[in-house]
Amino acid sequence: MKVNESLAKSFGLNAEEWQKVVGIMGRTPSLTELGIFSVMWSEHCSYKSSRIWLKELPTKAPWVIHGPGENAGVIDIGDGLAAIFKMESHNHPSFIEPYQGAATGVGGILRDVFTMGARPIANLNALRFGDPSLPVTKRVVDGVVRGIGGYGNCVGVPTVGGEVNFHPAYNGNPLVNAMTVGIARKDKIFLSAAAGVGNPVVYVGSKTGRDGIHGATMASTEFDASSEEKRPTVQVGDPFTEKLLIEACLELMQTDAIVAIQDMGAAGLTSSSVEMAGKGGVGIELNLDNVPQRETGMTAYEMMLSESQERMLLVLKPERSEMARAIIEKWDLDYAIIGHITDTGHIVVKHKGVVEADIPLDPLAEAAPLYRRPVAETPKPAPLGKVESDVPLLAALEKLIGSPDLCSRRWIYDQYDSTVGGQTVKRPAQADAAIVRLEGSKRALAMTADCTPRYCVADPETGGAQAVAETWRNITATGAKPLAITDNMNFGNPEKPEIMGQFASAIKGMAAACIALDYPVVSGNVSLYNETEGRPILPTPAIGGVGVLEDAAQAVGYAAQPGLTLVVVGETHGELGRSLYLREICGREDGPPPTMDLAAERRNGDFVRAQIITGKVAACHDVADGGLLVAVAEMALAGDCGVDLTAGGDAKYWFGEDQARYVMAVQDAPTLLAAAAAAGIPATQIGSCIIGNKLTLSMAGAISLPQLRDAHERFFPAWFA
């Protein structure tokens, strides 16, 4: 394979980047050196189109221990403990090979978290699929769901929450965003910066194969008609080995052996060694003869770029290396000293006595491309205008609640073990955020993932702000205090000004919401080039939020109970732009998204949380997709409880997706309404929860809960029957 500009282009480097590589090396690079540059300078690893914008996000707060830049974000949750969490994408692999793509996405994000010393306590996911009428969509959904369940269930970490949307924009490019939350002592956080000249570099975990080679490069390009041929670049996961790796690493972390630790994720041995040495300001020398291999005749290029799963790279204290070996081998994992730390500032790779790569690390990092790509602002959508429909309100409710975006996800989450570990307090379809108790404590974490891409495509700034605020509301609706977010920025081709404009505007909206809600970004991932045959996905800045609850017993779900009164907190103006009612009932996707009033979000949410913590709220549900009537119907179905709605209103009132709203079910509505009035919080009594099996709407009649439930639960079982 002749190394030249043409080969560099096939590896994803443009002409200018190729010339920069030659300039740094002072010669034509070797094949292995070119491979290292190509993956480290790929969009997936270098964030060369997004770094300049990511700096706009607020990342600091008194409770933030480590923000972006480490394997995962770390926040102080009190009692000497830290929550460590991150969300990451496995989009392209999940289209090519849905089961393994999704499974290894889960495995990768688990490693990002336990690499830092945390025991994973929960997984979540944010999934986007194409048109359900297409056979390929069914294939991808089936494989992705089985992959997430197969890996998470086997490794023994509960999958406690997530979201699923469908839209034709994802037909050739589904999104699979995986999130893991873990717990560690805040004085036992492990970082990745290598140190100590002469310290051994140790390989731990599974053997290296040829799977996943150039996976990072594939994730940095658009899909085309040849995408199916890229199956060899999808990694293959082994959750049972991952479980052993978790336990082995956590046991080793109880000793003083580890100087630095990094998982082998995208770009495998290349990224882990380069990042560890680079962050530590040292050099690193690797002898690939010692790398455990599961295939014969592997070259240096293949070993450096393989993305085989369940592998870690460690820098150890020399005097502790044999003790570490005993621990790792006890867990039936490979342990090999494959190199050492140097003072050269270079990465040197040797194989069979030949120097296959010798690259200065500073230029590899500092000279990495950084582009301020042209930006074109998204035109503001025209006002919605008159919305007309002759569909009766309750018929519209029945159709909405059975639509792919609002129907029950039971078929999905029943494939996930959401209670393994015994600490899950609120599981899927019980509350707006999952609640997981901290073992040995009454305290708990609340966690959620959310985004509304149809808002983002209409107005990326508003959509970015709404995605952040939605997770804040989800956590608040349980009674927990939201603390921080992780993000997964899924967008199209950044070389198109309109796509870069979407990205920049979404960042602006997210930053405004984070500041207003005191809710910083501590980790994240950028996934660009999500396009097929030139057609981009909807801009999708998925947000994962984490909050804390001092007493898990105070958490509320959204199940209605007879004898309670329903009160809406927040103003209802009836904003139908980009709503599901507009799309599913009227067949339109136009207008502006609902207005974001971040000050109202903060005021209303803080009021709701305070009421929940005092024990005055029996159930709470934020108002989101589908509007007020859908929220109430979900509460009725969750509690199998009749509802009598006395508030009057048209389709705009019941299905508008106005923000900053919650429905609370309370025993003492007058006291709650008085407290809201005193605090200047808009609150309105809309009805009551009753014994019975009907949802009754004033002036519009009634619909039975069995009829609603049948509509709600029909889609997935019928689709996969």
Side-chain angles (χ1 to χ4, degrees):
M1 200 180 295
K2 184 174 176 59
V3 176
N4 54 26
E5 185 175 334
S6 176
L7 183 64
K9 183 179 180 182
S10 74
F11 282 10
L13 296 175
N14 63 31
E16 182 184 341
E17 291 165 353
W18 161 251
Q19 290 302 325
K20 191 179 285 189
V21 169
V22 173
I24 289 170
M25 299 303 296
R27 56 176 169 78
T28 299
S30 69
L31 176 63
T32 301
E33 289 167 338
L34 178 62
I36 290 171
F37 272 101
S38 71
V39 293
M40 292 309 297
W41 286 9
S42 69
E43 192 73 64
H44 191 74
C45 291
S46 75
Y47 291 5
K48 56 190 174 188
S49 300
S50 59
R51 290 203 316 270
I52 204 159
W53 297 106
L54 295 174
K55 294 174 182 177
E56 304 297 318
L57 293 170
T59 60
K60 298 184 184 302
W63 52 91
V64 175
I65 297 173
H66 292 290
E70 287 298 333
N71 285 295
V74 186
I75 58 172
D76 188 338
I77 57 171
D79 290 346
L81 297 176
I84 300 180
F85 60 99
K86 187 183 180 183
M87 184 187 283
E88 199 159 72
S89 61
H90 236 219
N91 302 336
H92 284 49
S94 297
F95 180 66
I96 295 169
E97 179 47 68
Y99 184 95
Q100 291 296 348
T104 52
V106 173
I109 197 63
L110 281 165
R111 288 193 299 280
D112 277 339
V113 168
F114 75 75
T115 288
M116 299 193 69
R119 177 169 291 282
I121 64 166
N123 289 329
L124 300 93
N125 50 74
L127 311 176
R128 265 71 193 195
F129 301 112
D131 182 348
S133 70
L134 300 179
V136 67
T137 303
K138 185 187 289 191
R139 175 185 73 86
V140 172
V141 170
D142 177 57
V144 164
V145 171
R146 286 189 298 107
I148 290 170
Y151 205 100
N153 297 352
C154 291
V155 86
V157 177
T159 301
V160 298
E163 56 164 350
V164 183
N165 292 147
F166 293 86
H167 193 279
Y170 303 105
N171 278 348
N173 202 128
L175 302 184
V176 176
N177 296 169
M179 175 178 170
T180 293
V181 181
I183 299 295
R185 290 188 52 82
K186 70 177 186 179
D187 59 355
K188 289 284 282 184
I189 306 297
F190 288 81
L191 305 179
S192 56
V197 173
N199 281 346
V201 176
V202 176
Y203 173 118
V204 170
S206 289
K207 289 179 168 58
T208 294
R210 291 188 171 94
D211 51 326
I213 292 174
H214 268 297
T217 307
M218 179 192 71
S220 305
T221 57
E222 291 183 33
F223 274 159
D224 55 29
S226 67
S227 295
E228 286 288 328
E229 299 168 9
K230 296 178 180 176
R231 286 181 187 274
T233 63
V234 177
Q235 313 93 319
V236 177
D238 179 353
F240 297 105
T241 299
E242 181 99 341
K243 174 62 174 172
L244 298 176
L245 191 59
I246 292 173
E247 300 304 330
C249 288
L250 292 179
E251 181 176 341
L252 187 57
M253 286 166 172
Q254 298 305 307
T255 73
D256 64 347
I258 298 175
V259 176
I261 181 169
Q262 175 78 39
D263 78 297
M264 293 191 221
L269 191 51
T270 288
S271 63
S272 55
S273 56
V274 166
E275 289 174 9
M276 291 174 82
K279 287 180 181 178
V282 295
I284 189 167
E285 184 172 309
L286 303 177
N287 180 0
L288 301 187
D289 297 353
N290 297 334
V291 170
Q293 300 161 54
R294 67 168 180 259
E295 299 186 45
T296 58
M298 290 192 72
T299 64
Y301 167 82
E302 290 172 329
M303 281 186 273
M304 289 302 291
L305 270 67
S306 167
E307 294 185 8
S308 294
Q309 296 291 285
E310 294 89 36
R311 302 179 302 159
M312 309 287 277
L313 198 65
L314 290 73
V315 176
L316 299 179
K317 296 177 181 176
E319 68 275 15
R320 294 287 187 266
S321 62
E322 287 310 306
M323 177 197 70
R325 180 189 296 275
I327 290 173
I328 298 302
E329 292 182 348
K330 181 187 78 172
W331 289 98
D332 201 25
L333 296 167
D334 278 297
Y335 175 103
I337 297 175
I338 65 166
H340 61 276
I341 299 302
T342 69
D343 60 1
T344 64
H346 283 228
I347 176 171
V348 176
V349 178
K350 296 180 178 178
H351 186 221
K352 296 182 178 179
V354 176
V355 175
E356 296 281 358
D358 185 348
I359 302 173
L361 286 165
D362 275 351
L364 182 60
E366 298 304 320
L370 178 61
Y371 297 124
R372 181 178 279 277
R373 298 196 184 276
V375 169
E377 216 171 288
T378 302
K380 293 294 182 185
L384 185 59
K386 191 172 184 179
V387 175
E388 294 181 329
S389 171
D390 57 4
V391 179
L393 292 177
L394 292 177
L397 171 65
E398 184 178 6
K399 184 175 181 181
L400 271 172
I401 209 159
S403 67
D405 272 8
L406 285 175
C407 69
S408 169
R409 271 72 175 120
R410 183 183 303 277
W411 180 89
I412 294 176
Y413 64 71
D414 275 356
Q415 296 186 53
Y416 305 154
D417 190 336
S418 59
T419 60
V420 62
Q423 303 303 314
T424 306
V425 177
K426 298 289 184 189
R427 52 191 296 265
Q430 292 183 335
D432 284 328
I435 306 292
V436 179
R437 184 185 292 107
L438 304 181
E439 193 167 2
S441 170
K442 67 178 184 178
R443 303 170 77 245
L445 291 184
M447 54 200 81
T448 186
D450 227 308
C451 181
T452 312
R454 63 183 187 278
Y455 295 170
C456 298
V457 74
D459 185 331
E461 184 176 345
T462 296
Q466 191 275 340
V468 172
E470 175 78 4
T471 67
W472 192 86
R473 276 203 305 275
N474 288 343
I475 292 169
T476 291
T478 68
K481 179 177 176 55
L483 290 178
I485 67 169
T486 182
D487 61 55
N488 208 138
M489 307 294 289
N490 307 274
F491 289 77
N493 184 343
E495 296 166 47
K496 297 178 179 178
E498 63 272 22
I499 300 296
M500 234 24 255
Q502 291 174 343
F503 188 95
S505 293
I507 289 284
K508 184 177 179 182
M510 289 166 57
C514 289
I515 291 167
L517 302 174
D518 214 9
Y519 194 38
V521 182
V522 296
S523 61
N525 174 247
V526 176
S527 175
L528 301 177
Y529 292 96
N530 288 289
E531 301 201 6
T532 299
E533 303 288 353
R535 295 185 298 275
I537 61 164
L538 302 183
T540 310
I543 305 296
V546 173
V548 69
L549 198 62
E550 294 302 319
D551 186 349
Q554 294 176 320
V556 299
Y558 55 70
Q561 304 162 35
L564 300 174
T565 301
L566 295 175
V567 174
V568 176
V569 169
E571 291 187 296
T572 299
H573 302 288
E575 296 192 73
L576 286 175
R578 302 289 165 158
S579 67
L580 284 179
Y581 176 86
L582 194 69
R583 189 179 84 191
E584 299 293 330
I585 306 301
C586 305
R588 296 169 54 182
E589 292 187 68
D590 59 327
T595 307
M596 290 301 300
D597 181 341
L598 293 171
E601 287 281 2
R602 184 65 186 262
R603 284 194 306 271
N604 296 357
D606 286 349
F607 173 79
V608 167
R609 190 183 318 106
Q611 295 299 311
I612 293 172
I613 296 304
T614 62
K616 297 175 182 175
V617 180
C620 184
H621 197 11
D622 81 309
V623 181
D625 293 346
L628 184 53
L629 192 55
V630 166
V632 172
E634 289 172 343
M635 296 175 79
L637 291 174
D640 200 19
C641 170
V643 170
D644 184 10
L645 295 172
T646 53
D650 58 6
K652 289 174 62 177
Y653 178 84
W654 288 113
F655 298 116
E657 295 181 5
D658 308 68
Q659 300 293 292
R661 293 186 297 165
Y662 304 78
V663 180
M664 295 197 289
V666 299
Q667 286 278 6
D668 185 357
T671 299
L672 177 70
L673 292 168
I681 303 294
T684 308
Q685 183 173 322
I686 62 166
S688 55
C689 306
I690 58 174
I691 296 172
N693 68 349
K694 291 183 178 179
L695 184 153
T696 303
L697 187 58
S698 175
M699 307 298 291
I703 186 169
S704 75
L705 293 188
Q707 185 177 345
L708 267 183
R709 191 179 305 282
D710 178 65
H712 188 47
E713 297 190 351
R714 184 187 310 136
F715 173 74
F716 279 104
W719 197 26
F720 285 99

